[in-house]
Amino acid sequence: MLIVMQPNTTEQNIEKVVNFIKSKGFEAHISKGSDHTVIGAVGRKVIDKRDIELLDGVREVIRISSPYKLVSRVFKQEDTIIDVKGVKFGGGHIGMIAGPCTVESYEQMDETAKRLCECGVKVLRGGAFKPRTSPYAFQGLGEEGLKILREVADKYDMRVTSEVMEVSQIPLFEKYVDILQVGARNMQNFNLLRSLGEIRKPILLKRGLSATIEEWLMSAEYIMSGGNREIILCERGIRTFEKMTRNTLDISAIPVVQKISHLPILVDPSHATGLRNIVPSMSKAAIAAGADGLIIEVHYSPETAVCDGAQSLYPDQFAELFEELKALAKIIKKSF
Ligand code: PEP
Ligand code: MN
């Protein structure tokens, strides 16, 4: 952190700042210019920069090191590759996750998974505990949903991901699921993040509806600081003033995150757009922009889907898109 003092401030003020940052566990490095004094505070402790800004004679406090450590490229330079029972995300491997928004029945999952398996999809999605805006909307089948998901996935030799909503559900997810999804609405459920840091299964961490990239990476830091290093980030659109799409897909988050973090980043074009006719173009844009994978909602019969039918692709539509995406991946020297 750099502390820029007011021009011609007194020696006493400089000393007070130096003593303050030392008392907080930092080393102080003073640099005197012709009229400005700059104090460099070096250390790994957490400090509220406003406490320094309020000291007499301080003009500005500039943070130079990032608040996230373990998730950053400074800590680990090479890309992290998450290997989910042989299916890889990151470091040139693009992963595809597909399936319905929610598990409705064995038949619905079986019909959908069969089609996805034929296309070469290896990871099946399906919510069993749904974070619905309305308490009156379908909340998911609960454990029964997880059982169906696992059973169908095993039948087609697929891995599964599903959303975990609270700490008490973790043991259930450890039993049935290969990747635990943290939904946008829970990105800052810090108790949940801490508990997920203690398990040893990959976590798919979605970006919060209004979260900055820094806040999102700090949430990943919560998980990683607990010891779980297997984190896949997922950009799923953010809330903006635009209403033509459900959310606004922040494509630039892909290169921004990849520059500062070693973690793989996926894109969810379904929740980002809310409309199936836009999903193919956004999927291609995401892969072209360097995403390490996609999570796409597909339903064998979107018209009868219990939720998110409008943003769910038809199996044929998905099959065509997946072929195009494989071709696109080749051009950028990556592979699904
Ligand atoms: C989901 O993937 O089913 C979901 C609810 O997504 P999000 O948390 O991104 O809204
Ligand atoms: Mn959905």
Side-chain angles (χ1 to χ4, degrees), residues 49-62:
K49 86 193 234 293
R50 292 173 303 176
D51 288 336
I52 305 170
E53 277 161 353
L54 288 170
L55 297 175
D56 289 339
V58 173
R59 198 184 81 176
E60 199 183 353
V61 179
I62 305 161

Side-chain angles (χ1 to χ4, degrees), residues 101 125 130 246 271 297 307-308 311:
C101 180
R125 63 151 288 152
K130 296 301 296 177
R246 185 173 179 181
H271 291 89
E297 285 188 344
C307 65
D308 285 347
Q311 67 190 35

Side-chain angles (χ1 to χ4, degrees), residues 87-289:
V87 179
K88 292 180 180 157
F89 297 87
H93 305 274
I94 312 181
M96 175 63 84
I97 305 175
C101 180
T102 185
V103 180
E104 299 164 18
S105 66
Y106 182 88
E107 292 66 34
Q108 169 242 14
M109 288 308 298
D110 188 53
E111 283 290 332
T112 310
K114 192 170 116 210
R115 300 296 309 276
L116 293 173
C117 180
E118 282 164 10
C119 304
V121 174
K122 303 242 164 46
V123 189
L124 185 62
R125 63 151 288 152
F129 296 89
K130 296 301 296 177
R132 305 306 298 280
T133 303
S134 164
Y136 310 116
F138 179 66
Q139 305 285 309
L141 294 182
E143 182 171 2
E144 184 54 28
L146 292 182
K147 275 189 194 158
I148 295 173
L149 189 63
R150 183 78 266 168
E151 211 179 311
V152 170
D154 287 346
K155 180 175 169 189
Y156 296 103
D157 189 24
M158 294 169 97
R159 293 85 182 131
V160 297
T161 183
S162 195
E163 177 170 353
V164 58
M165 298 229 297
E166 52 175 276
V167 175
S168 64
Q169 294 167 350
I170 295 176
L172 208 56
F173 277 74
E174 287 197 279
K175 189 169 159 198
Y176 296 110
V177 164
D178 303 305
I179 307 171
L180 285 77
Q181 184 176 324
V182 176
R185 289 154 194 84
N186 264 318
M187 189 205 84
Q188 285 190 318
N189 180 340
F190 299 119
N191 284 337
L192 180 62
L193 300 176
R194 274 205 192 283
S195 298
L196 292 172
E198 286 164 20
I199 69 166
R200 292 296 173 268
K201 278 205 173 189
I203 310 297
L204 179 65
L205 179 65
K206 288 199 153 191
R207 182 178 182 180
L209 282 84
S210 304
T212 63
I213 290 172
E214 185 170 299
E215 287 165 337
W216 185 19
L217 291 175
M218 288 309 288
S219 291
E221 187 83 13
Y222 259 92
I223 301 169
M224 207 175 265
S225 61
N228 188 353
R229 303 226 159 151
E230 297 197 290
I231 304 168
I232 304 168
L233 300 166
C234 178
E235 160 61 40
R236 45 81 68 208
I238 48 173
R239 191 163 273 188
T240 68
F241 47 80
E242 184 51 65
K243 289 188 176 157
M244 292 278 186
T245 47
R246 185 173 179 181
N247 291 286
T248 297
L249 180 57
D250 183 7
I251 289 280
S252 59
I254 303 163
V256 169
V257 164
Q258 286 172 334
K259 181 157 188 243
I260 51 183
S261 175
H262 53 85
L263 296 174
I265 173 170
L266 306 193
V267 166
D268 173 347
S270 310
H271 291 89
T273 63
L275 294 162
R276 91 169 65 87
N277 60 327
I278 311 178
V279 168
S281 47
M282 290 302 97
S283 302
K284 290 175 214 164
I287 296 303

